[in-house]
Amino acid sequence: MSTITRIGVLTGGGDCPGLNAVIRAVVKDAASHGIETIGIEDGFLGLIEDRVRPLSPRDVSGILLQGGTILGSSNKANPRKFASGVGPDGKPILEDRTDQCMAVIEKHRLQALVVIGGDGTMSCAETFVNRGIRCIGVPKTIDNDIYGTDLTFGFSTAVQIATDAIDRVRTTAASHHRVMVVEVMGRNAGWIALHAGVASGSDVILIPEIPFSIERVCEHIQRRAREGKKFSIVCAAEGAKIAGGNAFIERVVATSPDPIRLGGIGKALSGMIEEKIGVESRYVVLGHVQRGGTPVALDRTLATLFGDHAMEILKAGDKKGLTPREASRLVVWRGGGLSDIPLTEACNKQRTVPIDHPLVAAARSVATSFGEA
Ligand code: F6P
């Protein structure tokens, strides 16, 4: 029998399809073992502001297919560097609110935290591991870029949405003999662009890991035109860069632990293509549509597996009498199965696309260009 009787659960960072499926799995498993779950609202912000609510199996009934998170999320609340306002120099005033959070943890008698989030959320969790709180991490992101796991939930849904969108854009491209540039998310990793690009048969795929040359991209479009294919589809990751240049930045969110928001490559690229080779071009930015709506079946099952494994680790660590640091683990999917690694191993790292990845090779073999310089 577990000695744990109460845990907290939170969702941090950007929302992602499958978050609710993890919450549901955690709450239901906990309840079946006599463990109470306290939901913390809006990620670590709820811990700072003491906004929590009990979650019973009834509260999570029917949420498996809902996108977003019933708890709310925040990608701006790092307890160690909480932006409490803006100083006269226009920079955020950062305060350490760790003690305040510890008081909330004690007040609600939380013996462990299940933190569902990306690398930023895991870095925040590390603060509490250092203060003796056992934290179990569950990796989420549509970007699929969390170190240590081959797959994150939310990714498959984002790829499906992007693929469907590119399929639709293809009809305009073909009818009007245009170039359509579709900008997809992914931060500094090209996983969404690579998978959606291959799945949609995009003619050019641009990813951050392979810097591109605008000349190579245009040559590929012209080669296709000479072969009688008078339209082309370019699937561009928001983080893709022209060789020797920087990624396109849409905005800087000063109060966020990861302040850079990428964006703008679609517009820039379609303009450059028109200017260089005179082919009519349009762009579409898929943006947050990729994170929205109901998760695909794979994300629902992966999220349920992750939630279940998080509870298994929590209960096992408790029985083995491990220290909070030893017992703090990140659930991962590796080599086709569930596993876990030390929570802190994944902090401040990103998993990008290896340039010798089989899907890169497969894309090349079906005549897709990466526009490499
Ligand atoms: O990490 C998920 C993600 O959707 C990225 O793909 C994207 O760059 C970023 O979040 C956008 O962040 P925000 O929701 O703050 O605009």
Side-chain angles (χ1 to χ4, degrees):
M1 187 69 190
S2 169
T3 59
I4 290 191
T5 53
R6 251 177 170 224
I7 59 169
V9 60
L10 63 81
T11 51
D15 69 304
C16 168
L19 285 169
N20 285 327
V22 181
I23 297 171
R24 171 179 174 268
V26 167
V27 171
K28 289 200 172 193
D29 185 276
S32 71
H33 289 87
I35 302 172
E36 260 182 283
T37 307
I38 304 298
I40 300 164
E41 294 174 354
D42 299 338
F44 285 102
L45 191 61
L47 208 52
I48 294 169
E49 297 175 348
D50 190 10
R51 285 191 286 109
V52 307
R53 64 177 196 258
L55 290 177
S56 70
R58 181 179 283 236
D59 294 318
V60 297
S61 175
I63 66 170
L64 177 65
L65 32 154
Q66 276 175 29
T69 159
I70 58 160
L71 287 174
S73 191
S74 167
N75 56 9
K76 290 192 221 143
N78 179 346
R80 262 183 306 116
K81 294 178 189 166
F82 179 67
S84 60
V86 181
D89 56 357
K91 291 192 179 144
I93 302 165
L94 299 177
E95 291 174 3
D96 188 345
R97 299 288 183 95
T98 311
D99 288 344
Q100 201 174 323
C101 292
M102 286 302 295
V104 174
I105 291 173
E106 276 156 33
K107 175 180 166 188
H108 297 287
R109 292 176 283 110
L110 305 180
Q111 293 159 300
L113 296 179
V114 175
V115 290
I116 312 166
D119 57 329
T121 304
M122 298 311 149
S123 301
C124 293
E126 194 180 1
T127 310
F128 298 99
V129 176
N130 293 338
R131 298 285 292 260
I133 305 295
R134 183 183 314 188
C135 294
I136 306 296
V138 179
K140 73 85 222 188
T141 171
I142 61 163
D143 306 332
N144 204 31
D145 63 349
I146 298 185
Y147 178 86
T149 184
D150 297 342
L151 193 59
T152 55
F153 66 86
F155 171 65
S156 302
T157 303
V159 168
Q160 190 60 56
I161 293 170
T163 304
D164 290 345
I166 300 171
D167 288 351
R168 286 179 186 277
V169 152
R170 176 177 288 273
T171 58
T172 298
S175 306
H176 290 265
H177 315 301
R178 284 176 182 166
V179 171
M180 294 296 298
V181 181
V182 183
E183 177 179 318
V184 300
M185 281 186 164
R187 286 205 301 180
N188 302 310
W191 293 108
I192 297 178
L194 177 62
H195 281 254
V198 170
S200 61
S202 291
D203 307 298
V204 179
I205 299 174
L206 302 177
I207 60 175
E209 295 83 352
I210 305 179
F212 68 94
S213 139
I214 184 70
E215 283 74 27
R216 294 289 95 75
V217 171
C218 289
E219 276 166 29
H220 192 74
I221 293 166
Q222 287 180 310
R223 191 175 318 124
R224 279 177 49 80
R226 283 197 299 276
E227 289 165 2
K229 297 162 192 157
K230 298 203 184 309
F231 72 94
S232 287
I233 310 263
V234 180
C235 176
E238 61 182 0
K241 308 174 193 75
I242 294 178
N246 298 316
F248 294 80
I249 295 177
E250 200 241 334
R251 68 175 71 200
V252 177
V253 184
T255 51
S256 168
D258 183 10
I260 304 295
R261 295 292 180 277
L262 298 166
I265 188 172
K267 183 176 183 185
L269 196 61
S270 68
M272 287 187 256
I273 292 168
E274 263 191 359
E275 194 187 298
K276 283 204 179 288
I277 55 174
V279 181
E280 195 179 23
S281 303
R282 296 284 190 274
Y283 69 94
V284 181
V285 181
L286 297 186
H288 294 86
V289 167
Q290 292 157 100
R291 285 180 4 197
T294 187
V296 296
L298 177 59
D299 282 335
R300 296 182 202 182
T301 52
L302 188 64
T304 304
L305 282 167
F306 277 5
D308 181 58
H309 194 61
M311 289 307 296
E312 288 308 314
I313 303 170
L314 205 110
K315 289 174 290 187
D318 190 34
K319 283 184 201 142
K320 280 190 225 155
L322 301 176
T323 64
R325 175 162 287 276
E326 288 163 341
S328 291
R329 311 281 295 173
L330 177 73
V331 176
V332 294
W333 183 261
R334 267 190 184 177
L338 280 168
S339 185
D340 47 88
I341 60 172
L343 180 89
T344 49
E345 203 174 302
C347 295
N348 306 314
K349 294 189 195 121
Q350 276 178 354
R351 191 180 75 97
T352 52
V353 177
I355 55 171
D356 59 353
H357 191 278
L359 200 52
V360 172
R364 288 203 169 103
S365 71
V366 292
T368 303
S369 168
F370 286 86
E372 53 265 72

